[in-house]
Amino acid sequence: MGRVIFRGAASRFQRLAIRNKLLLMVLAPLLVVLPLLGGVLLWGNSAFDRLLITKIRSDLAVANGYFEQVLGEVGASATAAADSRALHDAVVRGEAAEVVQQLRRFKAREGLDFINLRSADGQLQATDHGLVPAALSPPLPRARPRNGRAAGSVEVLDLATLAQLAPALQSQVPVPIVPTRNAAPSARTREDRAMVVLASAPLRDAHGTLLGQVQAGVLLNRNLPFIDHINQIVYPEGSLPYGSRGTATLFLDDVRISTNVRLFGSEAGGGINRAIGTRVSQAVREQVLGAGHTWLDRAFVVNEWYVSGYLPIANHAGERVGMLYVGFTEQPFTALKVGVMASIGALFLVVMVGAAALSLRWARGIFGPLERMAGTMQQVEAGALDARVGTLANRDEIGDLAGHLDQLLDTIAENTHALQRWNAELDTKVAERTEALENAQQQLVRSEKLAAVGQLTASIAHEVNNPIAVIQGNLDLVRELLGSDAARVHGELRLVDEQIERMRLIVTRLLQFARPNEFAGYIEAVDVAAALDDSLLLVGHLLAKTQITVQRRFGAQRRPSINRHELQQVIVNLLVNATQAMPGGGTLALTTRDTNDGDAVEIEVADSGPGLGAALIAELFKPFVTRKKDGTGLGLWISRSIVERYGGEIAAADRGDGASGAVFTVRLRCEAGLTST
């Protein structure tokens, strides 16, 4: 029976026209491959979704690791305060004011939001803002020390309790609840509780007797640096492709109290309008807060879908009080997935079309040599000069004719290409000559502009010199006319002299710009120790705002040859940079010494800040290089220009004595025989 069916199909195939046979030959592979293609696309879609879930699981683990690290750091801060000998002595001596002062010092040093001292039975005695009467001691859940070490935990406090511990943070706690799509129904309009990281450490005397407990804490409500740092760790710049945006959130119950999720995709004042006060979807709440499971799936976040990970957060008693969330927008990855699937489908389609075209080419050898030749001639007439018949399987007269036709077309194409190449070469030469002429014209214009600026600068400088000379002459006349009475206004006259000298220095700089070979600054033998002391007076207002200790080691005896005002400008710039590198206080070391070669003095300005790093040192003295938000990046560049103008050098390095910080060394050339007295 099967043989009869096969013979019938073969007979019908033989009766088909040649073109229909070819069409059937082309479509047969497609009918086989298309089901396979569908299966591949379905498998790829599932595999891509599993890959996204694997990534969000990893992201959530990284965020949770940092969160655990913060708990440990708060515990370490409490332990450090409890181990402090100064705090211990103040408690033993009963010096209440000193106890408060020590708590403030540890709060500032450890970056805490509040710190307090409790008695051995847990009664609040003192906080970083003052003493607390026993009657006002608030009940507060506390993470008990484990194995003698402070253990950080997440706790939820009411607003009144937080007011006792950190009154300045009360305004940071209340969060108006924003109606949120897909959230569980709720009548609440405001979240007034505070979520804090809390840690306690025992304070013991030398015999191990428990004197009390040091309790440290960090407020998480609206703690934007904390949540932004988590987001930066999990999703650094460039970690998400195709415009996907990574986000992180900390929940108190189901309310976002700290997040960088945008509210309705809008921005306010150039910054992110954060979705603080919005709530998590009901499905996530039931699984994470209700059942205590980790959520690793897509979820609706505020106003769009994210690939999300939610982790329950429990207090010291194991009660679930909130959630930690990280996630990234799903739409770019969905677009990527669709693009990949479409690319796979297109690849299969291209392959099949190519196979079909190849099959058609072979089949057309049965009837198509003449048709190919006619089509080739039509293409050439239409402008496709590279069209060819190609090698034919036929070795008869038609095949020979096709070969002769290809040779003729090759000759025509070579001649045409040669003409096109010569034309292109001519166009290139014309373009090169035109560009060279334009560059020369632009250079000429720039040179003329610079010359005009130099002439104008020199003219202005000379014009300013005349009134300066008149002012100086009249000032000398005033001194002569006043005689002994000039002593009463000596300070005012000296100030006028200094300002005249400053004006002369400005004029000199203008002349240096206009005619650098004819004018130079006022050079004198400068006492570097006196210059450093004067510079310290100029930055005294900055030092007064910080806890910076200044160390002076002035050992230089020689006097470098330099303009005093410009040297002072360099030193002040280095002192300001060092002060800004130590916002929390530190040590500023100033050192001067004579070099061993006998013709230079070195000035060192060292700080105990975070240091520079090899990458920054390599670019430090270039213009517009800075890591300060309000810096211009020109200070060190100008300072190096000043020092090198007088034959000196300036260098920067990190301290190599095992301590953190940076050191800047200024080497100044001295004239022979000039020493400090």
Side-chain angles (χ1 to χ4, degrees):
M1 183 67 180
R3 182 177 298 178
V4 173
I5 295 175
F6 176 76
R7 287 180 178 176
S11 177
R12 286 193 297 271
F13 179 78
Q14 291 174 355
R15 289 196 298 268
L16 291 175
I18 294 179
R19 294 184 179 276
N20 293 334
K21 290 179 181 179
L22 293 176
L23 181 60
L24 183 59
M25 291 171 59
V26 170
L27 293 179
L30 293 177
L31 297 177
V32 176
V33 172
L34 285 178
L36 297 178
L37 176 60
V40 169
L41 294 179
L42 290 175
W43 175 86
N45 181 66
S46 177
F48 192 88
D49 291 341
R50 290 195 301 271
L51 181 63
L52 293 182
I53 297 303
T54 300
K55 173 172 174 52
I56 198 62
R57 179 183 290 109
S58 174
D59 295 343
L60 187 59
V62 172
N64 185 51
Y66 175 73
F67 191 78
E68 294 292 338
Q69 177 184 338
V70 171
L71 297 182
E73 289 176 353
V74 175
S77 298
T79 301
D83 293 342
S84 168
R85 181 56 181 266
L87 179 61
H88 173 272
D89 292 345
V91 172
V92 170
R93 291 194 300 267
E95 298 177 354
E98 179 62 20
V99 169
V100 174
Q101 184 63 28
Q102 290 297 324
L103 291 178
R104 290 174 180 170
R105 184 172 67 88
F106 276 101
K107 173 187 174 183
R109 192 188 77 177
E110 300 294 329
L112 301 169
D113 286 336
F114 60 87
I115 185 170
N116 58 77
L117 176 66
R118 292 179 173 267
S119 63
D121 60 358
Q123 290 296 317
L124 184 62
Q125 294 180 331
T127 67
D128 56 84
H129 59 274
L131 299 177
V132 178
L136 298 179
S137 176
L140 183 65
R142 43 201 171 99
R144 298 182 180 276
R146 293 179 293 189
N147 301 324
R149 308 300 295 175
S153 65
V154 177
E155 306 297 339
V156 177
L157 311 178
D158 56 42
L159 195 57
T161 300
L162 183 68
Q164 288 286 338
L165 302 178
L169 299 179
Q170 294 182 77
S171 61
Q172 189 173 330
V173 172
V175 175
I177 296 179
V178 179
T180 309
R181 177 182 169 187
N182 293 343
S186 174
R188 292 186 303 160
T189 61
R190 187 181 183 90
E191 177 59 78
D192 290 326
R193 296 175 297 169
M195 177 179 280
V196 299
V197 176
L198 200 64
S200 298
L203 178 65
R204 302 181 185 274
D205 61 13
H207 304 289
T209 303
L210 183 64
L211 300 178
Q213 297 184 36
V214 175
Q215 199 168 57
V218 173
L219 178 64
L220 298 179
N221 293 54
R222 300 183 188 274
N223 195 332
L224 303 185
F226 167 77
I227 204 67
D228 287 345
H229 190 62
I230 289 181
N231 190 71
Q232 181 61 29
I233 291 174
V234 179
Y235 302 111
E237 186 71 24
S239 62
L240 294 174
Y242 305 104
S244 181
R245 183 175 66 254
T247 55
T249 300
L250 194 64
F251 288 86
L252 173 54
D253 194 13
D254 65 345
V255 178
R256 291 178 175 85
I257 60 171
S258 187
T259 183
N260 59 2
V261 175
R262 290 181 174 87
L263 183 61
F264 309 129
S266 63
E267 298 189 1
I272 297 176
N273 187 9
R274 300 174 187 261
I276 294 177
T278 58
R279 301 169 60 213
V280 77
S281 64
Q282 184 173 1
V284 175
R285 174 188 171 87
E286 292 175 352
Q287 179 169 329
V288 180
L289 290 177
H293 300 312
T294 299
W295 177 283
L296 296 172
D297 203 346
R298 64 194 299 265
F300 191 81
V301 179
V302 182
N303 58 352
E304 60 182 312
W305 288 95
Y306 283 68
V307 180
S308 306
Y310 292 83
L311 186 71
I313 298 175
N315 60 12
H316 74 286
E319 301 170 343
R320 292 185 288 276
V321 296
M323 295 178 290
L324 176 64
Y325 153 86
V326 293
F328 48 88
T329 49
E330 181 189 43
Q331 191 277 331
F333 287 93
T334 301
L336 173 62
K337 179 172 63 176
V338 172
V340 170
M341 299 305 173
S343 299
I344 294 175
L347 178 61
F348 271 87
L349 181 61
V350 169
V351 171
M352 292 311 303
V353 170
L358 184 61
S359 300
L360 181 60
R361 180 177 179 182
W362 289 342
R364 290 189 63 177
I366 301 173
F367 68 93
L370 293 176
E371 191 175 79
R372 288 175 57 184
M373 293 170 58
T376 300
M377 293 305 299
Q378 292 176 358
Q379 294 177 20
V380 171
E381 291 174 357
L385 300 180
D386 56 346
R388 297 293 183 271
V389 177
T391 303
L392 299 177
N394 305 59
R395 298 300 181 184
D396 53 12
E397 292 81 357
I398 296 177
D400 295 338
L401 179 61
H404 293 315
L405 178 60
D406 284 347
Q407 292 178 3
L408 177 62
L409 293 176
D410 288 339
T411 302
I412 296 174
E414 289 177 0
N415 294 335
T416 302
H417 291 159
L419 292 174
Q420 292 174 346
R421 184 174 62 254
W422 295 337
N423 184 50
E425 291 177 356
L426 180 61
D427 291 341
T428 301
K429 290 182 179 180
V430 172
E432 290 175 353
R433 299 292 175 82
T434 303
E435 182 179 1
L437 179 59
E438 291 176 352
N439 291 337
Q441 291 175 342
Q442 293 176 359
Q443 184 64 31
L444 180 60
V445 170
R446 285 195 294 267
S447 299
E448 292 177 351
K449 286 183 178 178
L450 287 175
V453 170
Q455 293 174 359
L456 180 60
T457 302
S459 176
I460 292 173
H462 284 297
E463 288 298 328
V464 173
N465 262 336
N466 293 331
I468 290 176
V470 172
I471 294 172
Q472 183 65 63
N474 281 276
L475 185 62
D476 293 338
L477 180 60
V478 167
R479 283 196 178 95
E480 181 178 349
L481 293 176
L482 290 177
S484 59
D485 289 338
R488 293 186 300 169
V489 290
H490 173 72
E492 288 76 5
L493 294 178
R494 181 176 60 82
L495 180 61
V496 175
D497 284 333
E498 291 176 353
Q499 296 305 313
I500 291 175
E501 180 63 22
R502 181 180 178 187
M503 293 169 64
R504 286 178 174 171
L505 182 60
I506 293 173
V507 171
T508 299
R509 290 176 180 171
L510 288 173
L511 292 175
Q512 286 177 339
F513 169 76
R515 301 175 184 174
N517 296 327
E518 300 179 16
F519 296 92
Y522 300 106
I523 300 176
E524 58 182 328
V526 177
D527 184 348
V528 293
L532 283 170
D533 287 335
D534 291 344
S535 299
L536 284 172
L537 290 177
L538 294 176
V539 299
H541 65 289
L542 296 177
L543 297 174
K545 298 178 181 178
T546 61
Q547 298 179 357
I548 295 178
T549 302
V550 180
Q551 296 179 352
R552 295 176 174 85
R553 293 189 288 269
F554 297 162
Q557 298 297 319
R558 304 191 189 99
R559 294 191 175 189
S561 301
I562 192 172
N563 181 274
R564 178 184 179 87
H565 297 285
E566 292 189 317
L567 174 59
Q568 191 167 330
Q569 178 182 348
V570 173
I571 295 173
V572 167
N573 182 65
L574 297 180
L575 292 177
V576 170
N577 288 345
T579 303
Q580 293 175 346
M582 301 179 291
T587 301
L588 176 62
L590 305 179
T591 306
T592 67
R593 58 176 171 268
D594 297 329
T595 60
N596 294 330
D597 53 19
D599 64 347
V601 169
E602 289 184 349
I603 303 172
E604 281 190 0
V605 178
D607 62 69
S608 58
L612 300 172
L616 182 58
I617 291 175
E619 305 289 331
L620 194 60
F621 292 100
K622 294 181 179 179
F624 308 113
V625 174
T626 181
R627 63 182 180 186
K628 295 183 291 186
K629 294 182 179 180
D630 56 350
T632 63
L634 296 175
L636 290 176
W637 177 61
I638 294 174
S639 297
R640 184 179 67 172
S641 301
I642 292 173
V643 173
E644 290 181 348
R645 187 190 308 153
Y646 295 98
E649 300 174 353
I650 183 170
D654 287 325
R655 296 176 63 178
D657 53 0
S660 63
V663 56
F664 287 82
T665 304
V666 180
R667 181 186 176 94
L668 301 173
R669 183 173 56 83
C670 297
E671 297 293 340
L674 296 180
T675 60
S676 299
T677 59

